[in-house]
Coordinates of all heavy atoms in Angstrom, one line a residue:
Y62 N -17.7 -37.2 -9.9 CA -16.4 -37.3 -9.2 C -16.3 -36.4 -8.0 O -16.6 -35.2 -8.1 CB -15.2 -36.9 -10.2 CG -13.8 -37.1 -9.6 CD1 -13.3 -38.4 -9.6 CD2 -13.1 -36.1 -9.2 CE1 -12.1 -38.7 -9.0 CE2 -11.9 -36.3 -8.5 CZ -11.4 -37.7 -8.5 OH -10.2 -37.9 -7.9
A63 N -16.1 -36.9 -6.9 CA -16.2 -36.1 -5.6 C -14.7 -35.3 -5.5 O -13.7 -36.1 -5.4 CB -16.4 -37.0 -4.4
L64 N -14.8 -34.1 -5.4 CA -13.6 -33.3 -5.3 C -13.3 -32.9 -3.8 O -12.4 -33.3 -3.3 CB -13.7 -32.0 -6.1 CG -13.7 -32.1 -7.6 CD1 -14.2 -30.9 -8.3 CD2 -12.4 -32.8 -8.1
G65 N -14.4 -32.2 -3.2 CA -14.1 -31.9 -1.7 C -14.9 -33.0 -0.9 O -16.0 -33.2 -1.0
I66 N -14.0 -33.6 0.0 CA -14.5 -34.7 0.7 C -14.3 -34.3 2.2 O -13.4 -33.6 2.6 CB -13.6 -36.0 0.5 CG1 -13.8 -36.3 -1.0 CG2 -14.0 -37.1 1.4 CD1 -14.0 -37.7 -1.5
D67 N -15.3 -34.9 2.9 CA -15.1 -34.6 4.5 C -13.8 -35.0 4.9 O -13.3 -36.0 4.6 CB -16.4 -35.5 5.1 CG -16.5 -35.1 6.6 OD1 -15.5 -35.3 7.3 OD2 -17.6 -34.5 6.9
D68 N -13.3 -34.2 5.8 CA -11.9 -34.5 6.5 C -11.8 -35.9 7.1 O -10.6 -36.3 7.0 CB -11.4 -33.4 7.4 CG -11.3 -32.0 6.8 OD1 -11.1 -32.1 5.5 OD2 -11.4 -31.0 7.4
R69 N -12.7 -36.4 7.5 CA -12.6 -37.7 8.2 C -12.6 -38.9 7.3 O -12.3 -40.1 7.5 CB -13.7 -37.9 9.2 CG -15.2 -38.1 8.6 CD -16.3 -38.2 9.6 NE -17.5 -38.3 9.1 CZ -18.1 -39.3 8.6 NH1 -17.4 -40.5 8.5 NH2 -19.2 -39.2 8.0
L70 N -12.8 -38.6 6.0 CA -12.7 -39.7 4.9 C -11.4 -39.6 4.1 O -11.1 -38.5 3.7 CB -14.0 -39.6 4.0 CG -15.3 -39.7 4.6 CD1 -16.4 -39.4 3.5 CD2 -15.5 -41.0 5.2
D71 N -10.9 -40.7 4.0 CA -9.6 -40.8 3.1 C -9.9 -41.5 1.8 O -9.9 -42.7 1.8 CB -8.5 -41.4 3.9 CG -7.2 -41.4 3.1 OD1 -6.9 -40.4 2.3 OD2 -6.3 -42.3 3.3
A72 N -10.1 -40.8 0.7 CA -10.7 -41.5 -0.5 C -9.7 -41.4 -1.6 O -9.1 -40.4 -1.9 CB -11.9 -40.8 -0.9
D73 N -9.6 -42.5 -2.3 CA -8.7 -42.5 -3.6 C -9.6 -42.3 -4.8 O -10.8 -42.1 -4.6 CB -7.9 -43.8 -3.6 CG -8.8 -45.0 -3.7 OD1 -9.9 -44.9 -3.9 OD2 -8.2 -46.2 -3.5
F74 N -9.1 -42.4 -6.0 CA -9.8 -42.2 -7.2 C -11.0 -43.1 -7.3 O -12.1 -42.7 -7.6 CB -8.8 -42.4 -8.4 CG -9.6 -42.3 -9.7 CD1 -9.8 -41.0 -10.2 CD2 -10.1 -43.4 -10.4 CE1 -10.5 -40.8 -11.4 CE2 -10.7 -43.1 -11.5 CZ -10.9 -41.9 -12.2
G75 N -10.9 -44.4 -6.9 CA -12.0 -45.4 -7.1 C -13.1 -45.1 -6.2 O -14.3 -45.3 -6.5
D76 N -12.8 -44.4 -5.0 CA -13.8 -44.1 -4.1 C -14.6 -42.8 -4.5 O -15.8 -42.6 -4.3 CB -13.2 -43.8 -2.7 CG -12.7 -45.0 -2.1 OD1 -13.2 -46.2 -2.3 OD2 -11.6 -44.8 -1.3
R77 N -13.8 -42.0 -5.2 CA -14.5 -40.6 -5.7 C -15.2 -40.7 -6.9 O -16.1 -40.0 -7.2 CB -13.3 -39.6 -5.9 CG -12.6 -39.3 -4.6 CD -11.3 -38.4 -4.9 NE -10.6 -38.0 -3.7 CZ -10.6 -36.9 -3.1 NH1 -11.3 -35.9 -3.7 NH2 -9.8 -36.7 -2.1
F78 N -14.9 -41.7 -7.8 CA -15.5 -41.8 -9.1 C -16.8 -42.8 -9.1 O -16.7 -43.8 -8.4 CB -14.5 -42.3 -10.1 CG -14.9 -42.5 -11.5 CD1 -15.2 -41.5 -12.4 CD2 -15.2 -43.8 -12.0 CE1 -15.5 -41.7 -13.5 CE2 -15.7 -44.0 -13.2 CZ -15.9 -43.0 -14.0
D79 N -17.7 -42.4 -9.9 CA -18.8 -43.3 -10.2 C -19.4 -43.2 -11.6 O -19.3 -42.0 -12.1 CB -20.0 -43.0 -9.1 CG -21.1 -44.0 -9.2 OD1 -20.8 -45.2 -9.7 OD2 -22.1 -43.8 -8.7
L80 N -19.8 -44.2 -12.2 CA -20.3 -44.2 -13.6 C -21.6 -44.9 -13.5 O -21.8 -46.0 -13.0 CB -19.3 -44.9 -14.5 CG -19.7 -44.9 -16.0 CD1 -19.6 -43.6 -16.6 CD2 -18.6 -45.8 -16.7
K81 N -22.7 -44.3 -14.2 CA -24.0 -44.8 -14.2 C -24.6 -44.9 -15.5 O -24.4 -44.0 -16.5 CB -25.0 -43.8 -13.5 CG -24.6 -43.6 -12.0 CD -25.5 -42.6 -11.4 CE -25.1 -42.3 -9.9 NZ -25.9 -41.4 -9.3
A82 N -25.3 -46.0 -15.9 CA -26.2 -46.1 -17.0 C -27.6 -45.5 -16.5 O -28.0 -46.0 -15.4 CB -26.2 -47.5 -17.6
R83 N -28.3 -44.8 -17.3 CA -29.6 -44.2 -16.9 C -30.6 -44.3 -18.0 O -30.4 -44.4 -19.2 CB -29.3 -42.7 -16.4 CG -28.6 -41.9 -17.5 CD -28.2 -40.6 -16.9 NE -29.2 -39.5 -17.1 CZ -29.4 -38.6 -16.3 NH1 -28.7 -38.5 -15.2 NH2 -30.3 -37.6 -16.6
F84 N -31.7 -44.3 -17.4 CA -33.1 -44.4 -18.3 C -34.0 -43.3 -17.7 O -34.2 -43.1 -16.5 CB -33.6 -45.7 -18.1 CG -35.2 -45.7 -18.5 CD1 -35.3 -46.1 -19.9 CD2 -36.2 -45.5 -17.8 CE1 -36.5 -46.0 -20.4 CE2 -37.6 -45.7 -18.2 CZ -37.8 -45.9 -19.7
N85 N -34.4 -42.5 -18.6 CA -35.4 -41.4 -18.2 C -36.7 -41.4 -19.0 O -36.8 -41.9 -20.1 CB -34.7 -40.0 -18.7 CG -33.5 -39.7 -18.0 OD1 -33.1 -40.1 -16.9 ND2 -32.5 -39.1 -18.9
A86 N -37.7 -41.0 -18.3 CA -39.1 -40.8 -18.9 C -39.2 -39.2 -19.0 O -39.5 -38.6 -17.9 CB -40.2 -41.4 -17.9
N87 N -39.1 -38.6 -20.2 CA -39.2 -37.2 -20.4 C -40.5 -36.8 -20.4 O -41.3 -37.1 -21.5 CB -38.4 -36.8 -21.7 CG -36.9 -37.4 -21.5 OD1 -36.7 -38.4 -21.8 ND2 -36.1 -36.4 -21.0
L88 N -41.0 -36.1 -19.5 CA -42.5 -35.9 -19.4 C -42.9 -34.5 -19.5 O -44.0 -33.9 -19.3 CB -43.1 -36.3 -18.0 CG -42.7 -37.7 -17.6 CD1 -43.2 -38.1 -16.3 CD2 -43.5 -38.6 -18.6
G89 N -42.0 -33.6 -20.1 CA -42.2 -32.2 -20.4 C -43.4 -31.9 -21.3 O -44.3 -31.1 -20.9
N90 N -43.5 -32.7 -22.3 CA -44.6 -32.5 -23.2 C -46.0 -33.1 -22.6 O -47.1 -32.7 -23.1 CB -44.3 -33.0 -24.6 CG -44.2 -34.4 -24.7 OD1 -44.0 -35.2 -23.7 ND2 -44.2 -35.0 -25.9
V91 N -45.8 -34.0 -21.7 CA -47.0 -34.7 -21.1 C -47.7 -33.7 -20.1 O -48.9 -33.5 -20.2 CB -46.7 -35.9 -20.5 CG1 -47.7 -36.6 -19.7 CG2 -46.1 -37.0 -21.5
I92 N -46.9 -33.1 -19.3 CA -47.4 -32.1 -18.3 C -47.6 -30.8 -18.9 O -48.4 -30.0 -18.4 CB -46.6 -32.1 -17.1 CG1 -45.2 -31.7 -17.2 CG2 -46.7 -33.4 -16.3 CD1 -44.3 -31.6 -16.0
N93 N -47.0 -30.4 -20.0 CA -47.2 -29.3 -20.8 C -47.2 -28.0 -20.0 O -48.1 -27.1 -20.2 CB -48.5 -29.5 -21.6 CG -48.6 -28.6 -22.8 OD1 -47.7 -28.2 -23.4 ND2 -49.9 -28.3 -23.4
I94 N -46.3 -27.7 -19.3 CA -46.0 -26.5 -18.6 C -45.5 -25.5 -19.6 O -46.0 -24.3 -19.6 CB -45.0 -26.7 -17.4 CG1 -45.6 -27.5 -16.3 CG2 -44.6 -25.4 -16.9 CD1 -44.7 -27.9 -15.2
D95 N -44.5 -25.8 -20.3 CA -43.8 -24.9 -21.2 C -43.0 -25.7 -22.1 O -42.4 -26.8 -21.7 CB -42.9 -23.9 -20.4 CG -42.3 -22.8 -21.4 OD1 -42.1 -23.0 -22.4 OD2 -42.1 -21.7 -20.8
E96 N -42.9 -25.4 -23.4 CA -42.1 -26.2 -24.4 C -40.7 -26.1 -24.1 O -39.9 -27.0 -24.5 CB -42.4 -25.8 -25.7 CG -41.9 -24.4 -26.2 CD -42.2 -24.2 -27.7 OE1 -43.0 -24.8 -28.3 OE2 -41.6 -23.2 -28.2
N97 N -40.2 -25.2 -23.3 CA -38.8 -25.0 -23.0 C -38.4 -25.8 -21.7 O -37.2 -25.8 -21.4 CB -38.4 -23.7 -22.7 CG -38.6 -22.8 -24.0 OD1 -38.7 -23.3 -25.1 ND2 -38.6 -21.5 -23.9
F98 N -39.4 -26.5 -21.1 CA -39.2 -27.2 -19.8 C -39.5 -28.7 -19.9 O -40.4 -29.2 -20.6 CB -40.3 -26.6 -18.8 CG -40.3 -27.4 -17.5 CD1 -39.4 -27.0 -16.5 CD2 -41.2 -28.4 -17.2 CE1 -39.4 -27.7 -15.3 CE2 -41.3 -29.0 -16.0 CZ -40.4 -28.7 -15.0
D99 N -38.5 -29.4 -19.4 CA -38.6 -30.9 -19.4 C -38.5 -31.4 -18.0 O -37.6 -31.0 -17.2 CB -37.6 -31.6 -20.3 CG -37.6 -33.0 -20.3 OD1 -38.8 -33.6 -20.2 OD2 -36.6 -33.8 -20.6
F100 N -39.5 -32.3 -17.6 CA -39.4 -32.9 -16.3 C -39.1 -34.4 -16.5 O -39.7 -35.0 -17.4 CB -40.7 -32.8 -15.6 CG -40.8 -33.5 -14.2 CD1 -40.1 -33.2 -13.1 CD2 -41.6 -34.8 -14.2 CE1 -40.2 -33.9 -11.9 CE2 -41.7 -35.4 -13.0 CZ -41.0 -35.1 -11.9
Y101 N -38.2 -35.0 -15.8 CA -37.8 -36.4 -16.2 C -37.4 -37.2 -14.9 O -36.4 -37.1 -14.3 CB -36.7 -36.4 -17.2 CG -35.3 -35.8 -16.7 CD1 -34.3 -36.4 -16.1 CD2 -35.2 -34.4 -16.9 CE1 -33.2 -35.7 -15.8 CE2 -34.0 -33.8 -16.6 CZ -33.0 -34.4 -15.9 OH -31.9 -33.8 -15.5
P102 N -38.3 -38.1 -14.5 CA -37.9 -39.2 -13.5 C -37.2 -40.2 -14.2 O -37.3 -40.5 -15.4 CB -39.2 -39.6 -13.0 CG -40.2 -39.2 -14.0 CD -39.7 -38.1 -14.7
G103 N -36.4 -41.0 -13.4 CA -35.6 -42.1 -14.1 C -34.9 -43.0 -13.1 O -34.9 -42.9 -11.9
L104 N -34.3 -44.0 -13.7 CA -33.6 -45.0 -12.9 C -32.1 -45.1 -13.4 O -31.9 -44.8 -14.6 CB -34.2 -46.4 -13.1 CG -35.5 -46.5 -12.6 CD1 -36.3 -48.0 -13.0 CD2 -35.7 -46.4 -11.1
S105 N -31.2 -45.5 -12.7 CA -29.9 -45.6 -12.8 C -29.3 -46.8 -12.3 O -29.5 -47.2 -11.2 CB -29.0 -44.2 -12.6 OG -29.1 -44.1 -11.1
L106 N -28.3 -47.5 -13.0 CA -27.5 -48.6 -12.5 C -26.0 -48.1 -12.6 O -25.5 -47.8 -13.7 CB -27.7 -49.7 -13.5 CG -27.0 -51.0 -13.1 CD1 -27.6 -51.5 -11.8 CD2 -27.3 -52.1 -14.1
S107 N -25.4 -48.0 -11.4 CA -24.1 -47.5 -11.4 C -23.1 -48.5 -10.8 O -23.4 -49.6 -10.5 CB -24.0 -46.3 -10.5 OG -23.8 -46.6 -9.2
L108 N -21.8 -48.1 -10.8 CA -20.7 -49.0 -10.1 C -20.9 -49.2 -8.7 O -20.4 -50.1 -8.1 CB -19.4 -48.4 -10.5 CG -19.0 -48.3 -11.9 CD1 -17.7 -47.5 -12.0 CD2 -18.9 -49.6 -12.6
K109 N -21.7 -48.2 -8.0 CA -21.8 -48.2 -6.6 C -23.1 -48.6 -6.1 O -23.4 -49.1 -5.0 CB -21.6 -46.8 -6.1 CG -20.3 -46.2 -6.5 CD -19.1 -46.8 -6.0 CE -17.8 -46.2 -6.4 NZ -16.7 -46.7 -6.0
N110 N -24.3 -48.5 -7.0 CA -25.6 -48.8 -6.4 C -26.6 -48.8 -7.6 O -26.3 -48.5 -8.7 CB -26.1 -47.7 -5.4 CG -26.2 -46.4 -5.9 OD1 -26.5 -46.1 -7.0 ND2 -25.9 -45.4 -5.1
F111 N -27.9 -49.1 -7.2 CA -29.0 -49.1 -8.2 C -29.8 -47.9 -7.6 O -30.1 -47.8 -6.5 CB -29.8 -50.3 -8.2 CG -31.1 -50.2 -9.0 CD1 -31.1 -50.0 -10.3 CD2 -32.3 -50.2 -8.2 CE1 -32.3 -49.9 -11.0 CE2 -33.5 -50.0 -8.9 CZ -33.4 -50.0 -10.4
G112 N -30.2 -46.9 -8.5 CA -30.9 -45.7 -7.9 C -31.8 -45.1 -8.8 O -32.0 -45.5 -9.9
G113 N -32.4 -44.0 -8.3 CA -33.3 -43.3 -9.1 C -32.9 -41.7 -9.1 O -32.0 -41.4 -8.3
H114 N -33.6 -41.2 -10.0 CA -33.3 -39.6 -10.1 C -34.6 -38.9 -10.5 O -35.4 -39.6 -11.2 CB -32.2 -39.3 -11.0 CG -32.2 -39.8 -12.3 ND1 -31.7 -41.0 -12.6 CD2 -32.7 -39.2 -13.5 CE1 -32.1 -41.2 -14.0 NE2 -32.6 -40.2 -14.4
V115 N -34.8 -37.7 -10.3 CA -35.8 -36.8 -10.6 C -35.2 -35.5 -11.1 O -34.4 -34.9 -10.3 CB -36.9 -36.6 -9.5 CG1 -37.8 -35.6 -10.0 CG2 -37.4 -37.9 -9.0
G116 N -35.4 -35.1 -12.3 CA -34.7 -33.9 -12.8 C -35.6 -33.0 -13.6 O -36.8 -33.3 -13.9
A117 N -35.1 -31.7 -13.8 CA -35.8 -30.8 -14.6 C -34.8 -30.0 -15.3 O -33.7 -29.6 -14.8 CB -36.7 -29.9 -13.7
R118 N -35.2 -29.7 -16.7 CA -34.3 -28.8 -17.5 C -35.2 -27.7 -17.9 O -36.4 -27.9 -18.3 CB -33.9 -29.6 -18.7 CG -33.1 -30.8 -18.5 CD -32.8 -31.4 -19.8 NE -32.0 -32.5 -19.7 CZ -32.4 -33.8 -19.9 NH1 -33.6 -34.1 -20.5 NH2 -31.5 -34.9 -19.8
Y119 N -34.5 -26.5 -18.2 CA -35.2 -25.4 -18.7 C -34.2 -24.8 -19.7 O -33.2 -24.4 -19.4 CB -35.6 -24.3 -17.6 CG -36.5 -23.2 -18.3 CD1 -37.8 -23.5 -18.6 CD2 -35.9 -22.1 -18.8 CE1 -38.6 -22.4 -19.3 CE2 -36.6 -21.2 -19.5 CZ -37.9 -21.3 -19.7 OH -38.7 -20.3 -20.3
F120 N -34.7 -24.6 -21.0 CA -33.8 -24.0 -22.1 C -34.2 -22.6 -22.3 O -35.3 -22.3 -22.5 CB -34.0 -24.8 -23.3 CG -33.1 -26.2 -23.3 CD1 -33.7 -27.2 -22.7 CD2 -31.9 -26.1 -23.8 CE1 -33.0 -28.4 -22.8 CE2 -31.1 -27.3 -23.8 CZ -31.7 -28.4 -23.2
F121 N -33.1 -21.8 -22.3 CA -33.4 -20.3 -22.5 C -33.2 -20.0 -24.1 O -33.8 -19.2 -24.7 CB -32.2 -19.5 -21.9 CG -32.3 -19.6 -20.3 CD1 -31.4 -20.4 -19.7 CD2 -33.4 -19.1 -19.7 CE1 -31.4 -20.5 -18.3 CE2 -33.5 -19.2 -18.3 CZ -32.5 -20.0 -17.6
T122 N -32.3 -20.8 -24.8 CA -32.2 -20.7 -26.3 C -32.2 -22.1 -26.8 O -32.4 -23.1 -26.1 CB -30.8 -20.0 -26.6 OG1 -29.8 -21.0 -26.1 CG2 -30.7 -18.8 -25.9
E123 N -32.1 -22.3 -28.1 CA -32.0 -23.5 -28.8 C -31.1 -24.5 -28.2 O -31.2 -25.7 -28.2 CB -31.8 -23.4 -30.3 CG -31.8 -24.5 -31.1 CD -33.2 -25.2 -31.2 OE1 -34.3 -24.4 -31.2 OE2 -33.3 -26.4 -31.4

Side-chain angles (χ1 to χ4, degrees):
Y62 186 79
L64 296 170
I66 302 216
D67 190 298
D68 291 338
R69 66 183 177 81
L70 301 176
D71 182 29
D73 61 13
F74 179 82
D76 296 326
R77 294 173 183 255
F78 176 77
D79 194 16
L80 183 66
K81 300 177 182 181
R83 51 193 265 149
F84 168 83
N85 299 326
N87 302 87
L88 304 176
N90 65 347
V91 175
I92 57 177
N93 202 19
I94 293 175
D95 186 330
E96 70 178 10
N97 300 339
F98 177 78
D99 184 26
F100 172 74
Y101 57 96
L104 297 172
S105 60
L106 182 62
S107 83
L108 299 174
K109 310 290 182 183
N110 62 35
F111 171 72
H114 57 270
V115 178
R118 301 178 179 116
Y119 186 82
F120 280 85
F121 299 109
T122 67
E123 181 69 27

